[in-house]
Amino acid sequence: MHLLHRNRRLRQNEAIRSLVRENHLTPHDFLVPLFICEGKGIRQEISSMPGYFRYSLDLITKEVQFLWSLGLKSVLVFVKVADHLKDNKGTEAYNSDGLMQRAVKTIKDAVPEMLVMTDVALDPYSSYGHDGIVHHNQILNDPTVEVLAKMSLSHAKAGADFVAPSDMMDGRIKAIRNTLEQEGFINTGIMSYSAKYASAFYGPFRDALDSAPGFGDKKTYQMDFAGGAKEAILESIRDQNEGADILMVKPGMSYLDILSEVSKSVSIPVAVYQVSGEYAMLQAAHQKGWLAIDKVMYESLIAFKRAGAQMIASYFAIDFAKKYNL
Ligand code: PBG
């Protein structure tokens, strides 16, 4: 045969493959989700997330120092709120001495250079397990947005670098941005979960934070996953125009088409969230001996880069950094 083109020439060995490779992953690409609870000396594995832990605040200093040593420079903080502090108005969410606010200070004291992003949504604080205030089984938009703005301000006051609203209420980015500007927090960023779907892949996360909705589902605020990319692009552009600094598509692996379309349509960075259920299913297959976890971890993560993600929130961040830190 006299072939003009031999595609396999550029695949002959690792040296040439690594030269022509278009996508790369380093620990610097990750946001590390951190689950924090009250108490002392608690490092509790989440049963539906093998290898992932919830920590009490006293263990967080060591944990973030460890993350920093691995080259992981950003954390996304979630708290498990005690039942007696939950109500229908998210009152505890903006308590200046609440667990989240103390967690931010602890992390910043431990590693001042660590980028601290805080989750902004009412579900861990809600007696109904919903992301908004409930009235006659409806999730109220505008009163919820007011609380989210207060909550964001209290995170900023505690020292958060970014607030990350994951609630999907309308108009919250503008309200949060206005509040931060008015109060002088001009450098506090907003990472908006702009295209977030009503997904069953969040199940293990809700176990981790004890935040499952008490009635109904989240379909009146999170997006319909059978919808097309147009809706995701519209949501994302609106959030960009309301003052978001970073956008996000969530979940990840089943939504690469959305990620690709959104990242082509906006001009600010786009993050992706490989969510708890995506982590759980790969770990479960690994435990059964059906998949090689290190390999599927890498392959699933690099897919996000290929699809246009600038950064990745993933429960694999630590394992990735341990295995591939050069
Ligand atoms: C809360 C929130 C959720 C996740 C992040 N923030 C759960 C939900 O919306 O029900 C899911 C993360 C994951 O599954 O890993 N607003």
Side-chain angles (χ1 to χ4, degrees):
M1 283 172 98
H2 297 283
L3 294 183
L4 267 186
H5 300 286
R6 288 190 182 269
N7 301 323
R8 295 178 55 193
R9 237 176 254 136
L10 295 182
R11 292 178 207 143
Q12 286 182 85
N13 52 51
E14 179 54 21
I16 185 65
R17 286 194 298 270
S18 63
L19 263 186
V20 300
R21 188 168 292 148
E22 288 182 45
N23 296 289
H24 302 272
L25 261 183
T26 79
H28 306 172
D29 294 311
F30 289 94
L31 314 174
V32 184
L34 274 186
F35 296 137
I36 303 178
C37 60
E38 297 282 7
K40 286 236 171 316
I42 298 171
R43 179 177 184 270
Q44 190 174 23
E45 189 170 25
I46 295 143
S47 57
S48 48
M49 300 177 71
Y52 218 75
F53 295 84
R54 192 164 53 212
Y55 293 93
S56 53
L57 192 50
D58 58 324
L59 300 185
I60 286 297
T61 297
K62 262 186 99 175
E63 179 63 12
V64 293
Q65 286 167 343
F66 173 62
L67 297 179
W68 189 261
S69 75
L70 288 174
L72 295 163
K73 296 186 285 192
S74 306
V75 290
L76 189 52
V77 185
F78 300 94
V79 291
K80 182 174 188 296
V81 180
D83 275 344
H84 72 277
L85 296 173
K86 298 186 183 185
D87 62 20
N88 185 29
K89 293 192 185 144
T91 316
E92 177 64 13
Y94 50 89
N95 175 358
S96 59
D97 198 33
L99 181 55
M100 176 63 92
Q101 290 77 359
R102 281 179 281 131
V104 171
K105 287 178 197 145
T106 303
I107 298 166
K108 279 289 176 189
D109 283 347
V111 185
E113 307 94 319
M114 180 72 82
L115 192 83
V116 178
M117 298 186 166
T118 55
D119 187 61
V120 171
L122 296 192
D123 50 334
Y125 299 92
S126 160
S127 38
Y128 292 102
H130 272 289
D131 292 40
I133 296 170
V134 178
H135 185 64
H136 294 320
N137 279 9
Q138 304 284 316
I139 314 304
L140 302 182
N141 194 86
D142 302 9
T144 299
V145 168
E146 278 180 40
V147 181
L148 297 173
K150 277 195 205 173
M151 182 179 182
S152 300
L153 178 62
S154 84
H155 293 180
K157 284 182 176 167
D161 298 291
F162 268 75
V163 292
S166 66
D167 57 286
M168 291 301 281
M169 297 300 126
D170 290 326
R172 88 272 209 225
I173 301 303
K174 183 164 168 239
I176 293 169
R177 175 58 75 212
N178 282 341
T179 301
L180 292 174
E181 281 289 318
Q182 276 160 16
E183 299 288 331
F185 290 94
I186 56 170
N187 288 323
T188 306
I190 302 176
M191 178 171 74
S192 172
Y193 288 62
S194 46
K196 175 171 174 178
Y197 289 87
S199 170
F201 283 106
Y202 306 149
F205 173 96
R206 294 174 187 171
D207 297 340
L209 293 191
D210 182 24
S211 64
F215 70 88
D217 51 41
K218 298 193 173 185
K219 289 182 182 168
T220 68
Y221 42 108
Q222 299 179 349
M223 290 158 64
D224 178 0
F225 49 71
K230 270 188 187 167
E231 185 190 7
I233 292 168
L234 184 64
E235 285 268 4
S236 302
I237 289 177
R238 283 182 174 159
D239 284 359
Q240 176 179 303
N241 292 343
E242 285 185 28
D245 302 286
I246 300 174
L247 302 169
M248 185 193 276
V249 172
K250 177 185 178 190
M253 287 157 68
S254 300
Y255 296 82
L256 292 173
D257 55 330
I258 302 294
L259 176 59
S260 167
E261 295 289 334
V262 167
S263 66
K264 278 186 257 173
S265 309
V266 298
S267 34
I268 58 177
V270 178
V272 67
Y273 202 138
Q274 186 181 43
V275 300
S276 55
E278 303 180 88
Y279 172 84
M281 64 184 179
L282 296 182
Q283 288 290 5
H286 169 65
Q287 285 189 348
K288 288 227 167 223
W290 292 348
L291 286 174
I293 193 71
D294 288 345
K295 291 184 176 155
V296 291
M297 165 177 80
Y298 189 88
E299 190 175 334
S300 67
L301 292 167
I302 204 79
F304 298 132
K305 283 303 216 52
R306 219 172 52 229
Q310 192 84 40
M311 65 197 85
I312 304 165
S314 171
Y315 304 98
F316 284 122
I318 299 169
D319 289 344
F320 175 86
K322 279 186 190 159
K323 175 129 181 89
Y324 294 100
N325 204 353
L326 304 173

